[in-house]
Amino acid sequence: MIKKQIKRTYRISKYIVYKETLIDYKENFWSFLGSFIGIGIIAFLQNLYFTEHDNLFLIGSFGASCVLIYGVIQSPLAQPRNLIGGHLVSAIIGVTVCKLLPDVLWLTAPLAVSLSIIAMQYTKTLHPPGGATALIAVTGSAKIKALGYFYVFFPVLTGVIILLLIALVVNNLTANRKYPNSGNFSKKLKHLLKIKQ
């Protein structure tokens, strides 16, 4: 009995490891294409309107958002509400913290990130790159800090909308990918209805 259980567990583990290490070249291609175009457009606008050393438009948190919205499109953290809401909520908090405590980095950095996490949880817009957006608002260059609340709209909102539009196009070009994922919501609703009956 124990020997049979061990063999079964081994087969299941072997299958899971095998399945997790398979490479889906088509999925990888669409992830590459989406992130290349999304970041490419933002970088083009950066290059067009700003000098090389004036990195205002191309903020680091956009790279992390690309991983989610092009690479893990079924994740609840990658959905449009989370993408837009997470960045905007975090940007507002980051700018506010920077304005209230402008030169206390040891306090503003952790405060901006921690408050943005709590705000995203309360607003149900949790998007991990949002924490970086809040951090950039307090640790960014003097030019980023000088933007004040304009930082929320330009570069954050503008960049997020570009990434979202590209995600809506690229992630729906094939039958195997569907974005946004509304299936999670309907599954949760059905599950809740079954529990209550």
Side-chain angles (χ1 to χ4, degrees):
M1 181 74 170
I2 294 174
K3 191 175 183 181
K4 189 175 181 181
Q5 183 66 27
I6 291 171
K7 281 185 178 181
R8 183 174 182 268
T9 304
Y10 173 74
R11 280 194 320 269
I12 291 171
S13 300
K14 187 177 169 184
Y15 175 74
I16 290 171
V17 168
Y18 168 75
K19 198 80 166 138
E20 289 297 316
T21 57
L22 287 176
I23 297 172
D24 186 343
Y25 293 104
K26 290 178 185 175
E27 282 296 308
N28 292 354
F29 169 76
W30 292 113
S31 298
F32 170 84
L33 185 65
S35 62
F36 186 85
I37 293 171
I39 291 294
I41 290 172
I42 295 171
F44 176 75
L45 292 173
Q46 166 73 33
N47 192 45
L48 192 64
Y49 293 110
F50 304 106
T51 66
E52 278 181 41
H53 306 291
D54 202 8
N55 199 13
L56 293 176
F57 198 65
L58 193 59
I59 59 174
S61 55
F62 290 161
S65 288
C66 286
V67 172
L68 288 169
I69 66 170
Y70 303 119
V72 201
I73 65 174
Q74 301 303 317
S75 169
L77 304 175
Q79 300 313 303
R81 173 189 172 100
N82 297 70
L83 172 69
I84 295 170
H87 277 291
L88 291 182
V89 164
S90 299
I92 291 167
I93 288 174
V95 172
T96 302
V97 168
C98 186
K99 286 191 168 294
L100 292 175
L101 304 163
D103 296 321
V104 191
L105 186 63
W106 65 269
L107 182 59
T108 57
L111 193 58
V113 173
S114 301
L115 287 174
S116 71
I117 292 169
I118 297 300
M120 287 187 287
Q121 288 174 327
Y122 275 116
T123 59
K124 298 192 183 321
T125 58
L126 194 61
H127 186 67
T133 298
L135 188 61
I136 291 166
V138 297
T139 63
S141 69
K143 291 189 178 190
I144 285 181
K145 290 177 182 178
L147 290 173
Y149 287 103
F150 284 113
Y151 171 76
V152 176
F153 301 104
F154 185 82
V156 175
L157 181 61
T158 310
V160 167
I161 288 173
I162 290 169
L163 294 178
L164 177 60
L165 291 175
I166 299 303
L168 290 171
V169 172
V170 171
N171 290 337
N172 291 300
L173 285 175
T174 175
N176 296 335
R177 292 169 69 98
K178 185 180 177 205
Y179 182 81
N181 180 16
S182 58
N184 282 344
F185 177 75
S186 59
K187 285 180 190 175
K188 286 178 185 175
L189 185 61
K190 287 177 186 176
H191 180 69
L192 285 172
L193 293 173
K194 285 181 185 178
I195 290 173
K196 289 186 178 183
Q197 291 174 349

